Amino acid sequence: MNERDVELFNDSIERCSCKPEFLRRFYALFLASSDTVGRKFEHTDLQKQARMLKTSLYIMMLAGGDTEKAVHLERLARRHSKADLGIKPELYDLWLDRLVQAVREFDPLCNKETERAWRSVLQPGIDFMKSRY
Ligand code: HEM
């Protein structure tokens, strides 16, 4: 991840999230991607979940930053670990693929470079979450 990726990611997330349908679409894609994922969200208020996700995308972007930011990521990782929600590491790859698919649909300026930027910005946070399973 470099400065240019962060800039591309930031601009793209702004273009996507000014459309309320964006995160709804992501959850529709993600929930349909596997039975396990669908079951995990059986009792979830997806409206509320979508709001939390937007904030957490920024937390992910700051992964590896200073300690205060790392505390949020640590908490998120613990919540998803086997002691709590039990989210298996391989499900994160599905998560990222479906998120990038939603970006492709909602960001009119999305191109290969934008997609790569989303992946490279979110990957360190994902690797951290997986390592804490
Ligand atoms: C790095 C990627 C991810 C991020 C940033 C993320 C973000 C979040 C956030 C912010 C919450 C709310 C935290 C809380 O309850 O305190 C949450 C809850 C949850 N996440 Fe994730 N998540 C990620 C990956 C996944 C994956 C791969 C799954 C697989 C199914 C998943 C399933 C869930 C479930 C089931 C909940 C609880 C929903 C509820 O309260 O009913 N998450 N996630």
Side-chain angles (χ1 to χ4, degrees):
M1 178 194 350
N2 54 35
E3 296 237 330
R4 166 105 181 117
D5 286 338
V6 172
E7 203 180 301
L8 285 169
F9 170 83
N10 259 319
D11 291 348
S12 173
I13 203 173
E14 286 310 317
R15 288 191 296 270
C16 290
S17 49
C18 64
K19 300 170 189 155
E21 274 297 311
F22 167 61
L23 288 176
R24 273 204 289 277
R25 175 68 179 147
F26 160 65
Y27 276 110
L29 289 168
F30 186 43
L31 265 65
S33 69
S34 105
D35 288 346
T36 312
V37 174
R39 271 197 303 276
K40 288 280 183 197
F41 286 106
E42 229 160 35
H43 306 291
T44 301
D45 173 351
L46 289 176
Q47 197 77 12
K48 204 170 121 215
Q49 184 70 18
R51 275 198 305 273
M52 286 193 287
L53 181 67
K54 186 174 176 206
T55 316
S56 67
L57 289 179
Y58 287 104
I59 294 174
M60 299 283 287
M61 180 180 92
L62 301 167
D66 66 36
T67 358
E68 198 203 325
K69 286 153 197 161
V71 166
H72 292 292
L73 190 63
E74 186 74 59
R75 197 179 324 119
L76 201 57
R78 206 177 321 120
R79 173 85 168 111
H80 287 74
S81 73
K82 56 169 156 337
D84 194 345
L85 289 168
I87 305 303
K88 293 228 162 84
E90 64 266 21
L91 294 177
Y92 290 93
D93 301 331
L94 218 48
W95 181 93
L96 186 57
D97 282 345
R98 295 311 185 272
L99 186 61
V100 170
Q101 187 178 338
V103 171
R104 216 179 291 132
E105 291 178 21
F106 279 80
D107 177 1
L109 301 182
C110 183
N111 58 26
K112 287 274 167 249
E113 214 193 348
T114 323
E115 285 183 30
R116 207 190 30 74
W118 273 80
R119 290 179 182 280
S120 81
V121 167
L122 295 176
Q123 199 61 53
I126 288 179
D127 290 344
F128 179 80
M129 304 260 294
K130 285 181 174 182
S131 76
R132 292 302 163 104
Y133 175 66

